[in-house]
Amino acid sequence: TMQDKSAIIKQRATSNEPRATSNEQRATSHEPKSWPLISVIVPVYNTEKYLDKCISSILNQTYTNLEVILVDDGSTDNCPAMCDEWAKRDSRIRVIHKPNGGLDTARNAGLDAAQGEFIGTIDSDDFVALEFYERLYTLITEHDADISMCAVIRVNEDGTRMNNLPETEPEYTELSHEDLMNGFLNGFPKFPHIGVSWNKLYKAEIFRTLRFAGGNHEDSATYHRILGSCRKNISTTERLYYYRRRENSIMCKTRRGFQLSDLQSYIYAGKDSYEYFMNMGRADIADMCLRRLGGALRYGLNNMNYLQNRGEFACLPDTFRKMMLSRSFMTKLRGVKLALCWLRSIFRPFTCKENN
C-alpha cells in the first residue's frame, strides 16, 4: 500500500548523504522493466562547491531509469570540466555546454534534448532524497495526474537543516484543474512551493509546446501556464527535496534589492499571466494577477536605490510604456480607472525616491 511504501521511504531517507554506486551495483538492483524513462534537467552555473552532491543524489535514486541532462550555462568556474567528468563515469548523463543565458534558456535547452516520458528539473546547488523520483513516479501514476510534487527541506550552505521539523505521517492531496484555478484567486497556503519547478515530476506532454521564460525568474514567469495546462496535481507532505539557501543565490540577491532585470521579469510575468487568464475566460483570475503584480513591483521599487543607479533605471519608464501601450493588454483592462490606480500605486514609492 502507499502507507507501507511511505514507511519504507522514511527509513531509507534517514541519511542525507547520497551514496556513490557503480554501474555494476546499479545493474543488480531491483528495476521494474515497466519503469519509463525520466529526463532530469540540471541547469549548472558556477556551483562547483555543490555540484557533486547534487549529481550523486540523482544517480543514486532508487528509480534508476533516468537520463540526466547537465546544462552548463556558461559557467566560469570548474563546473564544465566536472560535468564532463561525471558523463564519463555514468552513461546516463548527457552534457550540454552553452553560452550564459539564464535559468530559462538552460532549462529550455534541457527540454529540447529530453527524451523521457516524464520530466524533472533540479537546481545544481540542491539535492534530493534517494527515493525522490520513485515516490513522485508512484504518485503521478497511481493518481493519474499530470504533475506530482513533494514538500521541501530548507538547508544551509553546508547542507545542515535550517529547522528540525518533526516527522509526520504522509498526507496526499489531489488538486483538480478547478482547484488550481481557485488557488490563483485565493492562494495556495498549504502548498508554499507549488509555484517552483524543482520539487516536481511532470508528464512530458506538458512541455510539448511550453517553454520557460523570464530569465532567472523563470518560475514566476511560466508557472501560470504550467498549472493552467494541468488536469490534476497530486502532492505529498513527504519532504524529499533539499533546497539550499545560499547568500549569493539569485533569490537571496533579489530579496536584498531588486535590479532592473528583476523588475522586467516581474512585468513580463504579470502581463503574460493577465493575458493568459483573460484568453481563458477567467477575468477574475486575471484581475488578481494584476493586483499581485502591482504589489510585487511596489516591493521591488521600495527596495531600489534609485539615486545610486539612475543610469541603469533610466529606461524603466519606457519598459512600462511599452507594456501599457500593448494593444492586447490595454484592450483587456476593464476601465481606465483601474489602470490609473494601478500605475499610481506602483510609481508612488519610485517617485518619492527620485524626489528625495
Side-chain angles (χ1 to χ4, degrees):
T1 66
M2 187 174 294
Q3 287 76 13
D4 294 334
K5 291 181 179 178
S6 300
I8 295 174
I9 286 169
K10 285 184 179 180
Q11 184 177 4
R12 288 178 178 174
T14 53
S15 174
N16 295 343
E17 293 295 328
R19 300 184 301 274
T21 58
S22 65
N23 289 334
E24 290 77 12
Q25 286 174 314
R26 284 200 314 272
T28 60
S29 65
H30 175 64
E31 179 177 338
K33 294 181 179 180
S34 60
W35 273 358
L37 182 67
I38 294 178
S39 298
V40 183
I41 300 168
V42 184
V44 179
Y45 181 72
N46 290 355
T47 52
E48 61 180 358
K49 184 178 178 181
Y50 316 104
L51 186 58
D52 284 342
K53 174 99 170 182
C54 174
I55 297 176
S56 62
S57 75
I58 299 171
L59 296 180
N60 289 306
Q61 290 289 297
T62 56
Y63 191 111
T64 56
N65 192 20
L66 307 171
E67 68 165 353
V68 184
I69 305 174
L70 305 178
V71 184
D72 165 36
D73 190 34
S75 297
T76 58
D77 61 0
N78 197 41
C79 282
M82 294 173 67
C83 290
D84 291 337
E85 183 60 32
W86 272 105
K88 295 177 183 177
R89 294 163 57 181
D90 196 300
S91 60
R92 296 175 295 173
I93 294 179
R94 299 160 61 192
V95 181
I96 299 173
H97 297 286
K98 60 180 288 295
N100 179 252
L103 268 173
D104 58 343
T105 65
R107 287 209 174 111
N108 290 339
L111 287 173
D112 292 340
Q115 299 177 352
E117 294 182 36
F118 295 88
I119 301 290
T121 178
I122 297 176
D123 286 354
S124 59
D125 51 353
D126 299 335
F127 57 100
V128 291
L130 300 181
E131 294 79 14
F132 177 67
Y133 279 120
E134 183 175 359
R135 292 297 301 125
L136 293 185
Y137 171 74
T138 299
L139 288 171
I140 204 171
T141 53
E142 288 187 352
H143 292 263
D144 188 27
D146 296 324
I147 301 174
S148 58
M149 67 179 185
C150 69
V152 174
I153 299 175
R154 295 167 62 88
V155 298
N156 297 302
E157 288 200 47
D158 61 0
T160 59
R161 295 192 182 196
M162 297 183 67
N163 45 49
N164 292 317
L165 298 175
E167 294 291 338
T168 59
E169 286 298 316
E171 296 180 5
Y172 308 95
T173 305
E174 286 189 0
L175 296 174
S176 66
H177 179 77
E178 187 60 29
D179 291 332
L180 294 172
M181 295 301 98
N182 290 334
F184 280 105
L185 276 176
N186 306 313
F188 297 94
K190 293 184 178 180
F191 309 101
H193 296 96
I194 196 170
V196 297
S197 60
W198 27 260
N199 63 331
K200 298 175 177 65
L201 182 66
Y202 309 86
K203 284 186 177 179
E205 287 83 358
I206 288 181
F207 295 103
R208 183 170 297 166
T209 58
L210 179 64
R211 290 294 183 268
F212 288 96
N216 286 328
H217 297 277
E218 78 294 347
D219 287 334
S220 60
T222 310
Y223 223 76
H224 57 281
R225 291 184 175 271
I226 294 177
L227 293 183
S229 63
C230 178
R231 178 179 47 84
K232 183 193 294 184
N233 180 300
I234 176 67
S235 70
T236 175
T237 57
E238 296 166 88
R239 296 187 286 271
L240 304 173
Y241 190 99
Y242 292 80
Y243 171 78
R244 194 188 304 269
R245 189 180 188 278
R246 299 188 293 124
E247 284 302 311
N248 63 341
S249 68
I250 292 170
M251 292 308 298
C252 287
K253 286 180 178 178
T254 300
R255 291 190 186 99
R256 289 198 295 267
F258 270 41
Q259 302 298 316
L260 178 61
S261 59
D262 300 318
L263 281 176
Q264 290 173 327
S265 295
Y266 273 66
I267 292 169
Y268 173 89
K271 177 176 179 292
D272 189 73
S273 60
Y274 183 90
E275 295 181 341
Y276 177 77
F277 288 115
M278 285 298 290
N279 291 333
M280 189 184 286
R282 293 300 303 262
D284 52 345
I285 301 178
D287 288 346
M288 181 60 70
C289 291
L290 196 64
R291 294 189 184 97
R292 288 174 180 164
L293 172 60
L297 293 178
R298 284 197 301 274
Y299 172 82
L301 292 168
N302 275 320
N303 284 274
M304 280 185 177
N305 190 334
Y306 173 73
L307 296 179
Q308 291 184 7
N309 300 278
R310 184 182 297 271
E312 181 181 357
F313 298 118
C315 64
L316 185 59
D318 187 59
T319 300
F320 279 96
R321 180 185 64 80
K322 290 179 179 178
M323 180 183 73
M324 297 308 297
L325 289 180
S326 168
R327 178 180 300 176
S328 60
F329 189 68
M330 284 300 293
T331 55
K332 294 180 179 66
L333 276 174
R334 295 204 303 273
V336 176
K337 183 178 180 180
L338 174 61
L340 292 177
C341 291
W342 184 69
L343 285 174
R344 181 183 176 187
S345 67
I346 291 173
F347 278 106
R348 184 183 296 120
F350 190 69
T351 304
C352 292
K353 290 195 175 189
E354 184 176 6
N355 292 336
N356 291 338

